[in-house]
Amino acid sequence: MTSVLTTGALTLTACGSRDDDKGSDSSKKTTVIIGVDAPLTGQNSATGLGIQGGVQIAVNDANKNNTVPGVTFKVQALDDKAIPAQGQSNATQLVQNEKVLGVVGPLNSGVATQMQQVFATANLVEVSPSNTAPELTQGKNWQTSKSRPFKTYFRTATTDALQGGFAADYAYNTLKKRKVFVVDDKQTYGAGLAKLFKAGFTKAGGKVTGQDHVNTGDTDFSALVTKIKNSKADLVYYGGQYDESEKLTKQLKDGGAKVPLFGGDGMFSDTYIQTAGKTSEGDLATSVGQPVDSLPSAADFIKKYKASGLKGDYGTYGGYSYDAATAIIKAIGNVVKDGKVPSDARTKIVGEVQKTKFDGIAGPVSFDEYGDTTNKQLTVYQVVDGKWKAVKSGTFNG
Amino acid sequence: MNTLPQQLANGLFLGSMYGLIAIGYTMVYGIVQLINFAHGEIFMTGGFGALTVYLYVLPNGTSMWIALPAMLIGGGIVSVLIAVGAERFAYRPLRGAPRLAPLITAIGLSLALQQLVFNWYPNAKNDLKFPQLPFGPVHIGSISIQSGSVFVIIAAPLCMAALALFVSLSRTGRAMQATAQDPDTAQLMGIDTNRIIVIAFAIGGFFAAVAAVSYGLRYGTVKYDMGFQMGLKAFTAAVLGGIGNIYGAMIGGLVLGLAETMATSYIDGIPGMQQLGGGGWSSVWAFVLLILVLLFRPQGLIGERVADRA
């Protein structure tokens, strides 16, 4: 009897001491989670995985360089499938996890509208690398009176207000196009972009020969193509994502309409060229910021990304996601000292992100009073020999 | 430029594809009174089967003239196997059960097939590029036909003619008609109804594969979820034409394709209808048409009024 007890006690002690060792090891470092919300499967997943990857690299760097002493960063990536309701449920999940002190994402403006309130209520900072709908930062009436709806929301991407106008300016003044057919996918992003392009193009003196809409998920555009051909447009502007535009451009060129398709950053993806093949040659897209591959500041990032074995490419937003995550990490560094997370950490971090100012890999990072990036760089890309090639970079102020 | 001929042609190509898939719905319904909601996925797997043949079986750079028949056979085999397998393992055990049971199985099977392809086929998360015919658009008068559409406009009538001959002339075809009319009596007359049902599933599967190859050639891509929307449209076409009637399926497909095309091109030109026209509304008008037809002709365009079975 005694011996059994002794053995039991010994075993218990042994177990206990092992646990203690482990415990003291990890207690030196506090784990902080950077949340990611993006479409990781299905529609837009190629772009979404680039966001996840960009954040992962930023977190790897922060851990390696011990950017925030006493803190180990981790990434928790949730898949919103580009569905607004899924984004909202992900936001709720992230908010409930006390270890999450900042979130990067989402990809789609339509998803962001459903997530902002959730984060605002919990004072959790959200930095999107790619949302471009102006009302996210400047309110519903952004054209007449700007007012910021959520102080926890920031973005490192420029808005459509600039992208649509920038594209219109390029189409009219550089490409010398005069007649345009405008198509959009009726989503917050696509319709907004198309509307602003239309406004900019007609203001410059161009003519809109027709307008139509498609549904996301549509595949047959033959009737639309005939309409476009009949309108004698010399350019088609598309507001939407690559999923539909890659099929539209193929059917457009196969249908005998030899006019380029011009779109926004939703179309600016390698998948677009892969799927549309030769028919994408000459097509154009605008995107926020400058091409990451052309920036010397991002060379190191690209090298790390390629070596990391992450799925897919960093895509359009990988660089901006890195900067978004870095802004959050730096803010956490100002709030969390020696691994001690104060009880009002989330609120303080929002304030720190607002004040942030540093040179990111994709350009200077700082936010204005609405949470918009102060970096208004935009670039027009064109498909040349089966690759997106930057043809014009510049700033645009409307 | 007069766009009407071109739009009619667009509608015909789209409608032929719907018609080919609708055959599968209508034959199965005609014989076992089952709406096989997994048929859209049988169509989808046919596309992936054809693509697999091109990517992993044939040597790189095989001419499309050799590859196309091989892809048709490959896609056909996959679709037929899945259709027949579904019949054997998902539907036959439930034959005689209340009709709701096989319907639910069908929906479950549809989701399962979609997820299987999504998770297991390499790179299936994105649109997969489908090989293209090596010639440009064909011009007939003011109509231009994309190379991919040339295939469907030849394949659909050929398939239909072959099926019509088979059903009306061959022994098996006549046995099929008998089974459709009354399976129990047909069995008493010595017809192996199980065999007939398997044949109906197989033919439907093969036609779905032909439609899937048409789809790939026409749109340049195949995708794991392509069966959902096409299946829904084809089902609509089958009902529109009169479900159970194979000619009805083809007519219903054509009518549906034309309706969508016409809606896209002309409705927003009607004064006061700008908000209800254009490409975004084409499906809405297709379903409005379906409702109208069913209101005034519940048996479908060329379906027969059948008395309820005892």
Side-chain angles (χ1 to χ4, degrees):
Chain A
M1 183 69 193
T2 330
S3 66
V4 172
L5 272 178
T6 325
T7 325
L10 277 174
T11 321
L12 279 173
T13 343
C15 280
S17 65
R18 244 202 326 265
D19 275 357
D20 280 345
D21 280 344
K22 254 191 190 167
S24 61
D25 252 359
S26 57
S27 73
K28 280 182 205 154
K29 288 255 185 187
T30 310
T31 304
V32 166
I33 295 174
I34 307 285
V36 174
D37 176 89
L40 306 177
T41 60
Q43 279 194 349
N44 316 142
S45 60
T47 325
L49 287 167
I51 294 179
Q52 187 191 358
V55 175
Q56 187 65 55
I57 303 279
V59 161
N60 292 352
D61 281 358
N63 286 337
K64 207 179 88 195
N65 304 336
N66 204 16
T67 311
V68 182
V71 170
T72 309
F73 288 100
K74 265 194 181 155
V75 177
Q76 184 185 7
L78 298 178
D79 181 7
D80 65 26
K81 303 186 175 80
I83 299 168
Q86 184 64 47
Q88 192 173 46
S89 124
N90 290 351
T92 317
Q93 200 184 327
L94 289 167
V95 161
Q96 280 162 355
N97 186 345
E98 280 175 11
K99 290 197 165 131
V100 177
L101 292 185
V103 177
V104 178
L107 168 65
N108 310 70
S109 293
V111 178
T113 55
Q114 301 299 311
M115 300 174 71
Q116 285 179 312
Q117 180 72 60
V118 181
F119 289 131
T121 314
N123 281 321
L124 183 58
V125 72
E126 175 191 16
V127 186
S128 168
S130 61
N131 293 159
T132 49
E135 56 266 32
L136 291 173
T137 45
Q138 300 169 7
K140 278 214 157 53
N141 304 316
W142 58 274
Q143 274 157 320
T144 47
S145 62
K146 294 181 181 181
S147 81
R148 186 176 185 179
F150 300 104
K151 65 175 182 5
T152 49
Y153 177 86
F154 299 86
R155 60 176 149 199
T156 52
T158 327
T159 68
D160 293 336
L162 301 180
Q163 222 185 126
F166 189 67
D169 177 63
Y170 186 82
Y172 191 86
N173 293 318
T174 311
L175 295 174
K176 308 277 179 217
K177 300 290 184 189
R178 293 295 177 262
K179 287 181 288 181
V180 67
F181 195 102
V182 180
V183 183
D184 70 70
D185 65 359
K186 301 189 284 187
Q187 307 291 309
T188 313
Y189 164 79
L193 204 57
K195 195 171 145 199
L196 289 157
F197 178 88
K198 213 172 118 183
F201 196 72
T202 40
K203 204 174 139 203
K207 192 169 164 265
V208 176
T209 61
Q211 187 167 16
D212 208 334
H213 314 274
V214 301
N215 296 317
T216 49
D218 275 359
T219 48
D220 192 283
F221 302 115
S222 52
L224 177 59
V225 162
T226 308
K227 243 171 129 174
I228 294 172
K229 247 172 86 179
N230 193 39
S231 78
K232 303 251 186 317
D234 50 16
L235 179 77
V236 178
Y237 189 80
Y238 182 78
Q241 306 287 344
Y242 62 84
D243 302 85
E244 287 78 33
S245 56
E246 61 196 18
K247 296 186 184 78
L248 176 61
T249 196
K250 180 182 172 342
Q251 292 175 39
L252 196 65
K253 303 330 177 356
D254 285 350
K258 303 284 177 221
V259 297
L261 189 74
F262 199 161
D265 54 336
M267 201 171 108
F268 177 62
S269 147
D270 286 339
T271 316
Y272 177 81
I273 301 177
Q274 278 162 26
T275 311
K278 277 193 201 120
T279 55
S280 64
E281 197 69 19
D283 286 351
L284 302 126
T286 51
S287 186
V288 292
Q290 275 181 289
V292 170
D293 352 33
S294 76
L295 296 168
S297 53
D300 189 42
F301 165 75
I302 294 172
K303 214 167 72 194
K304 279 180 197 154
Y305 202 106
K306 285 185 176 149
S308 66
L310 285 163
K311 259 200 269 178
D313 199 358
Y314 45 85
T316 322
Y317 304 115
Y320 289 91
S321 308
Y322 183 96
D323 284 349
T326 308
I328 295 173
I329 290 167
K330 282 182 190 284
I332 292 172
N334 293 339
V335 172
V336 179
K337 299 290 177 205
D338 304 324
K340 285 196 182 61
V341 182
S343 58
D344 57 346
R346 282 182 174 178
T347 315
K348 280 185 177 157
I349 288 164
V350 174
E352 291 296 328
V353 169
Q354 182 70 61
K355 284 186 278 185
T356 202
K357 197 172 170 62
F358 65 95
D359 280 322
I361 60 164
V365 178
S366 66
F367 301 102
D368 66 10
E369 70 264 42
Y370 301 105
D372 277 325
T373 174
T374 50
N375 176 11
K376 309 276 190 210
Q377 286 277 331
L378 291 153
T379 304
V380 177
Y381 296 84
Q382 186 163 30
V383 181
V384 180
D385 298 326
K387 277 205 172 71
W388 287 111
K389 186 172 164 257
V391 287
K392 188 191 171 190
S393 285
T395 53
F396 188 78
N397 291 309
Chain B
M1 181 174 131
N2 184 10
T3 55
L4 187 63
Q6 176 72 58
Q7 293 291 27
L8 287 174
N10 290 339
L12 276 182
F13 305 142
L14 184 61
S16 307
M17 220 148 55
Y18 289 158
L20 278 174
I21 312 172
I23 298 277
Y25 279 104
T26 225
M27 282 183 73
V28 165
Y29 184 84
I31 291 175
V32 280
Q33 256 79 74
L34 159 75
I35 294 166
N36 180 10
F37 270 120
H39 193 62
E41 273 59 46
I42 290 170
F43 157 79
M44 178 269 290
T45 50
F48 277 86
L51 184 68
T52 308
V53 168
Y54 184 81
L55 290 180
Y56 303 109
V57 179
L58 296 169
N60 260 345
T62 311
S63 150
M64 267 307 270
W65 301 116
I66 302 164
L68 190 59
M71 285 160 68
L72 269 175
I73 295 168
I77 291 174
V78 172
S79 281
V80 168
L81 282 181
I82 290 185
V84 170
E87 194 279 326
R88 181 66 190 81
F89 296 107
Y91 302 141
R92 194 180 295 180
L94 290 170
R95 208 173 294 151
R99 274 205 211 164
L100 199 55
L103 188 72
I104 293 167
T105 317
I107 292 169
L109 187 65
S110 151
L111 289 173
L113 285 171
Q114 216 180 86
Q115 291 303 314
L116 275 177
V117 171
F118 180 75
N119 287 316
W120 292 96
Y121 201 87
N123 202 18
K125 287 173 179 67
N126 294 316
D127 292 86
L128 291 171
K129 204 166 176 328
F130 202 83
Q132 297 292 296
L133 288 170
F135 57 88
V138 176
H139 299 278
I140 303 171
S142 64
I143 304 173
S144 69
I145 309 172
Q146 302 168 28
S147 58
S149 308
V150 173
F151 175 79
V152 69
I153 207 70
I154 295 172
L158 273 182
C159 286
M160 273 309 291
L163 181 63
L165 287 177
F166 172 76
V167 170
S168 57
L169 297 182
S170 77
R171 217 179 139 75
T172 316
R174 284 201 298 271
M176 210 171 232
Q177 292 184 45
T179 312
Q181 236 165 42
D182 188 336
D184 295 338
T185 317
Q187 200 159 18
L188 289 174
M189 298 295 138
I191 293 171
D192 181 355
T193 46
N194 273 337
R195 190 175 139 259
I196 295 298
I197 292 166
V198 167
I199 290 171
F201 270 90
I203 293 174
F206 181 74
F207 280 29
V210 174
V213 171
S214 310
Y215 180 101
L217 292 174
R218 196 168 142 85
Y219 303 131
T221 56
V222 289
K223 202 176 179 189
Y224 73 97
D225 63 357
M226 74 189 210
F228 177 72
Q229 209 176 13
M230 288 300 279
L232 203 61
K233 289 283 172 61
F235 171 63
T236 309
V239 174
L240 194 64
I243 193 156
N245 183 317
I246 57 168
Y247 306 104
M250 206 64 213
I251 300 289
L254 293 178
V255 169
L256 195 68
L258 285 170
E260 278 189 27
T261 313
M262 293 298 123
T264 305
S265 24
Y266 297 110
I267 285 193
D268 57 355
I270 302 169
M273 298 282 271
Q274 284 92 338
Q275 295 306 310
L276 304 175
W281 281 76
S282 62
S283 300
V284 174
W285 289 111
F287 287 111
V288 167
L289 177 77
L290 174 74
I291 292 167
L292 286 178
V293 168
L294 290 184
L295 272 179
F296 296 104
R297 244 190 102 75
Q299 69 272 39
L301 287 173
I302 64 169
E304 286 155 36
R305 195 183 293 273
V306 281
D308 271 344
R309 267 191 205 147

